[in-house]
Amino acid sequence: MRKSFVAVGVALAVVLAFSPFGWSAEQTIKVGINAPITGDIPKVGEGTKFAAQMWLEDVMAAGGLEVGGKKYPVELVIEDNEAKAESAVTANTKMITQDEVLVIVGPQSSKQAIPAGDVANNYATPMITPWSTNPDATKDRPFVFRGCFLDPFQGPVLANFITEEFGFTKAAVLYDVASDYPKGLAEFFKEAWEKVHGPGSVVAFESFTTKDADFSSQLTKIIQSGAEVLFTPQYYNEVALIVQQAHELGWDKPIVGSDSWGSAETVELCGKDCYGLFFSTHYAAAGATGATKEFIDRYQQKYGYVPDDVAALTWDSLGIVQTAIQSLDQLSGDLEKDRKAVRDAMAQVKEFDGITGKMTFTEEGDPIKCAVIVKISDKGEYTFYKSVCP
């Protein structure tokens, strides 16, 4: 009899040791963070990490996340994707299969979010990318969500804004053809612009490849094209080079950007060359009120600078994850079932009141929310100019 008891105990221990549901024994909810801590856009990774750490502080101060009357401690598993697609895939795979995270926040850029989202969906693990606006990040992936608007919305917003603000009819575009986000948004902008002004009204559609630093050839063609405005949906590390080189070559017309301009580093690198320029984004720090201002003040006091849109969207994405987890009646201890339950709860989030706006998810995992047009002031501040809603 005792022998049978021991055998059963050994068998149970073996099952638990190799069970994918062992996370419940630790009674800890693990949230994965997939971010570019190093690589081309480390400021994006820094904002992601800082916002996540602030969120964790609040959760710990509350005694953990409460599910069905029981409080669970929370752990962040932060992985560096080096701003590379392959590293983002590796990070997601590790967090899902080894770290046993319940849900993943990130990656931020579409270049990493699209392939990493495929991994999350294949492993039936909920993932929310705070900043990826390319439709492919969530397309046909029920386990993948996003915390921002999409490029098919952002492209027309910018085309209409430039038309109404300046009355221009000829536009030029300069973008990185090797990166999903700028390539996708450049194409959506061109489509929207030519829908308003006719075929050929994008008089120059120039491209380059990631890590290029000399844009003089493309900018010379743009200047000679007769374009009245230049649209460039590039990241903060490239914006300064493009704007400064354009001015050095004699371009004195407006340059307009997208939400990838929202980093705190954009103006630091670009200086006065970027004063007076416009870009679309998710929130404006200058003049913010309520919960948005509270977040900005707390972040600035803690880290020494105004948070960018990446930090704000990460904060909101973690809030959505928290709302979904805490809406469950219980955590079963079966990681596969609990991941599915969190996914279903995220899909049911209605009118989440985030610091970047109210959000309700579509069937595709995309939020319905407004865009903000920001003007860079003569002090280098990101000032609210107008809001554009779907």
Side-chain angles (χ1 to χ4, degrees):
M1 185 70 179
R2 179 175 176 77
K3 185 176 180 180
S4 299
F5 177 78
V6 172
V8 170
V10 170
L12 182 60
V14 171
V15 169
L16 288 173
F18 292 96
S19 170
F21 315 135
W23 76 281
S24 62
E26 301 174 4
Q27 299 290 300
T28 299
I29 293 173
K30 294 183 179 180
V31 176
I33 303 292
N34 192 334
I37 306 299
T38 60
D40 295 336
I41 48 175
K43 206 67 179 176
V44 171
E46 181 180 274
T48 305
K49 183 175 69 175
F50 285 170
Q53 290 173 337
M54 272 179 50
W55 174 81
L56 182 63
E57 285 178 3
D58 288 353
V59 170
M60 292 175 66
L65 291 182
E66 184 170 339
V67 183
K70 179 180 178 181
K71 287 198 174 181
Y72 292 80
V74 178
E75 176 184 337
L76 292 179
V77 179
I78 300 177
E79 287 291 325
D80 179 13
N81 64 39
E82 306 172 299
K84 298 177 181 176
E86 59 272 25
S87 298
V89 167
T90 300
N92 259 18
T93 304
K94 175 183 175 293
M95 289 192 290
I96 293 169
T97 62
Q98 297 180 34
D99 299 321
E100 298 184 333
V101 298
L102 181 62
V103 56
I104 294 171
V105 176
Q108 299 285 4
S109 302
S110 297
K111 183 177 181 180
Q112 292 92 49
I114 292 172
D118 192 42
V119 173
N121 197 63
N122 288 341
Y123 278 105
T125 301
M127 168 185 136
I128 179 167
T129 168
W131 200 47
S132 170
T133 52
N134 190 300
D136 288 343
T138 58
K139 186 178 180 182
D140 298 326
R141 295 172 175 174
F143 278 84
V144 182
F145 299 78
R146 79 176 84 227
C148 54
F149 49 68
L150 279 77
D151 290 338
F153 168 67
Q154 186 173 199
V157 161
L158 286 163
N160 292 334
F161 166 72
I162 294 170
T163 301
E164 294 169 4
E165 184 71 21
F166 301 108
F168 295 152
T169 59
K170 297 178 181 178
V173 180
L174 179 59
Y175 67 100
D176 181 355
V177 72
S179 184
D180 290 316
Y181 164 78
K183 180 176 183 294
L185 184 51
E187 291 169 348
F188 284 117
F189 174 84
K190 181 175 186 291
E191 180 182 348
W193 184 269
E194 293 191 337
K195 188 174 182 179
V196 175
H197 300 288
S201 54
V202 172
V203 293
F205 196 65
E206 296 294 320
S207 64
F208 60 92
T209 300
T210 307
K211 294 190 181 300
D212 283 356
D214 182 359
F215 309 101
S216 56
S217 175
Q218 295 93 330
L219 289 168
T220 298
K221 292 179 183 177
I222 287 169
I223 292 171
Q224 294 173 344
S225 72
E228 299 165 292
V229 60
L230 168 59
F231 172 59
T232 184
Q234 291 308 130
Y235 296 111
Y236 69 87
N237 57 320
E238 296 152 333
V239 171
L241 294 174
I242 292 170
V243 172
Q244 290 167 348
Q245 288 180 25
H247 288 165
E248 288 168 2
L249 289 169
W251 177 269
D252 58 359
K253 300 169 185 174
I255 300 175
V256 176
S258 56
D259 62 312
S260 55
W261 284 38
S263 169
E265 292 283 278
T266 302
V267 172
E268 286 188 29
L269 295 172
C270 192
K272 293 184 179 179
D273 279 277
C274 278
Y275 289 5
L277 302 186
F278 294 93
F279 63 92
S280 58
T281 189
H282 308 274
Y283 96 131
T289 59
T292 306
K293 186 176 188 306
E294 290 176 11
F295 170 78
I296 293 168
D297 290 347
R298 182 179 164 194
Y299 187 105
Q300 189 169 17
Q301 184 176 21
K302 192 173 183 64
Y303 300 117
Y305 64 92
V306 175
D308 57 19
D309 57 347
V310 169
L313 289 168
T314 301
W315 181 264
D316 277 351
S317 295
L318 284 161
I320 291 166
V321 165
Q322 179 174 350
T323 299
I325 293 174
Q326 293 189 315
S327 72
L328 302 178
D329 294 331
Q330 63 173 354
L331 290 174
S332 69
D334 181 326
L335 187 55
E336 188 174 330
K337 289 182 179 178
D338 288 337
R339 284 171 173 169
K340 175 67 164 55
V342 171
R343 179 264 160 218
D344 291 345
M346 289 174 69
Q348 293 301 313
V349 171
K350 306 292 184 188
E351 295 192 347
F352 175 80
D353 197 9
I355 62 173
T356 63
K358 286 186 180 295
M359 287 174 259
T360 295
F361 286 104
T362 67
E363 289 293 327
E364 291 74 31
D366 301 322
I368 301 170
K369 63 189 296 188
C370 302
V372 171
I373 301 295
V374 157
K375 183 177 183 179
I376 302 175
S377 74
D378 57 6
K379 296 180 180 178
E381 295 177 327
Y382 296 163
T383 58
F384 176 87
Y385 194 72
K386 65 167 57 176
S387 180
V388 183
C389 298

